[in-house]
Amino acid sequence: MRIIFTISILLFSTTLLLSQNNKLITFFEKSNYLETPRYDSTIAFCKALAKSSPLIHYSSFGVSPEGRELPLLIADKDHISDVSLLKNSGRTILFIQACIHAGEPDGKDAGFMLFRDFVTDKNITKYLENVSVVFIPIFNVDGHERWSAYNRINQNGPTEMGWRTNANNLNLNRDYIKAEAPETKAWIGLFNKLDPDFFIDCHVTDGADYIYPITYGIEINGNMDSNITKWQRNIYLPEITSSMEKANYPIFHYVSFREWHNIESGLESWVTAPMLSNGYTAMVNCPGLLIESHMLKDYKTRVFATYKMLEYTLQILNDTGKELKKYKKEADLYSSSDEFRKKPFPLEFNFTKDSTMVEFKGMEYTQEKSDLTGGKWFKFGKTIKNYKLPYFNNIKPITFADLPKYYVVPKQWAFIEDLLIIHNIKYTKTKNDTAINVKTYIFNNVQFGATPYEGRQRVSSFEIDTTTIKMELAKGSILVPVNQAKSRLIAHIFEPMSDASLLKFGYFNTIFEQKEYGESYVLEPLAREMLKDPKIKEAYETEVKNNSNYPKDPDAILNWFYSHSQYKDIQQNIYPIGKIF
Ligand SMILES: [Zn+2]
């Protein structure tokens, strides 16, 4: 009787476990590793995970332009469900994001298996000893529901997938500084509450064929705090590379050839760009990893390889997270210091002519001349080829800025205050109308992008010089002290030479417009009068010599005299943001 009773209890509990586990089999696994779930099914799985174990908590961190909630999962051994309280636990916080490009869903399906294994597999749950994991399964939720089999032309599965950009056709992975999309604003709010110790953004690449199921981007070239960089270069990178190799998922640095598609031209490295997710986190002293699974590998291989990258990262953080947290804390202090501020701050980088030879396991290819286009195209074969290639990974800064004590934002540029609030940058406001001497920039020969970029007219190039002006500041103007943990981010927002700057993104384009013009009946006699001044005469003659449009363009000639007269607009081409040293 007793035996029968025990057996029936066993049977009952096994059935319960099976049905429970069945609910926790991911959509991807049930589809024979061919498909990825839609938004509704994703949310349902998040809720099922949270219901299955107190280790997992589900919530949302914002709402998309089409009204969808932005999903968030937390795995924490003490069942902490409030992101702002996670930091208090002292554990290392790993922040994983998937589907910023919703056509690249590998991270969603890998992350779901990982979170399921937190519930069901002790070998994975053990990593939660020293680490809490926060996971966004779909960041670009609206793009995700622009669902089709034809959204990723170069990519081998899943069967159907979402779209790259959000519902306003903005690429969220170019929006980290200007923070225009509601999704980006919500993300930065979450990031600031969370203050994670390591960030992972999951993508699928395009490009050439090679054996590596995963390539990665990681900041080790000088665009981040030096101690955090050392941890990434000396601790994280060797460990993850060797673990992935042992698991038969060899990895390689993001593949970028010096000449597009020309393998023999060699590989080049770069620094992370602050307008991208892991460039942004680098600017605020959070190390990060870009995972790019290889588009030509089948979906199962890509998701499992992504899973292994997440698992081994967890393992490394579980072992060495304490050390990393210490470096992060020190980095926040250092980037707030006078010592940091007084060093020239690098804004642009380039690789030097130095290279090291590396082994690259690519595929054999032939180059064919197209009878359709007349151009050349590459045809990759099935045979692996071991290349020895020069790797141009000696990156040096080429443009620097002198960081001031304060950036000064006149009251009328009010949108910047909203941006400072989003980025959680500290500032104060002036209490009275005032006028102060500030250093700023004067621009010349400004060129603009011919097509929109992220919906904006970018400033593509300019000549720049420094100048000192008396700046009129209405009461309520903004002073942004550079001595704060986010000093690098502040520099990239305000320094025009940064590719991520508000100026390059076209937010100050009105300063380049000429708003007043002289009539010819005024300028003709004025020009003759002005030419009596030998200095003006010499300047004009130099201009005529250097400008091939003269004398074909009478209006331009007259406008030259306008812009050298007392009537000229003294604010035109002057950067309206001041610097106080
Ligand atoms: Zn991507």
Side-chain angles (χ1 to χ4, degrees), residues 100-102 104 152 164 171 173 202-205 290-292:
I100 187 172
H101 294 149
E104 305 161 18
R152 289 278 295 162
R164 182 174 181 82
N171 183 346
N173 208 23
C202 301
H203 291 252
V204 186
T205 191
L290 167 74
I291 294 181
E292 294 274 359

Side-chain angles (χ1 to χ4, degrees), residues 369-517:
K369 190 173 159 58
S370 166
D371 55 4
L372 180 71
T373 67
K376 286 178 196 160
W377 65 296
F378 288 85
K379 227 175 170 176
F380 288 103
K382 300 258 181 255
T383 317
I384 297 168
K385 184 172 173 187
N386 288 323
Y387 294 88
K388 273 218 168 270
L389 298 178
Y391 183 28
F392 294 83
N393 61 349
N394 189 4
I395 309 291
K396 291 273 182 270
I398 51 167
T399 310
F400 297 89
D402 292 329
L403 299 185
K405 261 191 188 145
Y406 296 94
Y407 286 98
V408 186
V409 183
K411 182 182 169 64
Q412 60 271 28
W413 298 95
F415 77 93
I416 293 176
E417 184 176 5
D418 299 339
L419 198 65
L420 296 173
I421 293 168
I422 290 165
H423 287 296
N424 202 17
I425 290 170
K426 292 176 211 132
Y427 62 90
T428 54
K429 283 184 166 185
T430 57
K431 294 202 169 68
N432 304 298
D433 291 351
T434 180
I436 48 170
N437 285 327
V438 296
K439 281 236 163 102
T440 188
Y441 297 106
I442 181 160
F443 299 94
N444 227 316
N445 200 12
V446 183
Q447 306 293 320
F448 302 92
T451 52
Y453 181 76
E454 294 305 307
R456 305 206 57 88
Q457 185 190 26
R458 291 261 303 173
V459 177
S460 53
S461 66
F462 47 72
E463 289 155 22
I464 190 168
D465 213 343
T466 51
T467 182
T468 302
I469 58 165
K470 187 157 231 169
M471 192 173 257
E472 302 283 344
L473 294 173
K475 174 186 165 189
S477 292
I478 290 168
L479 297 174
V480 184
V482 171
N483 285 35
Q484 50 182 312
K486 293 189 174 170
S487 51
R488 289 166 190 272
L489 174 61
I490 293 167
H492 280 282
I493 290 173
F494 289 121
E495 288 296 334
M497 291 299 286
S498 166
D499 227 30
S501 69
L502 296 180
L503 183 120
K504 284 251 180 99
F505 261 111
Y507 284 92
F508 294 107
N509 280 359
T510 51
I511 69 163
F512 302 121
E513 295 175 37
Q514 186 177 335
K515 302 292 195 181
E516 284 283 354
Y517 296 86

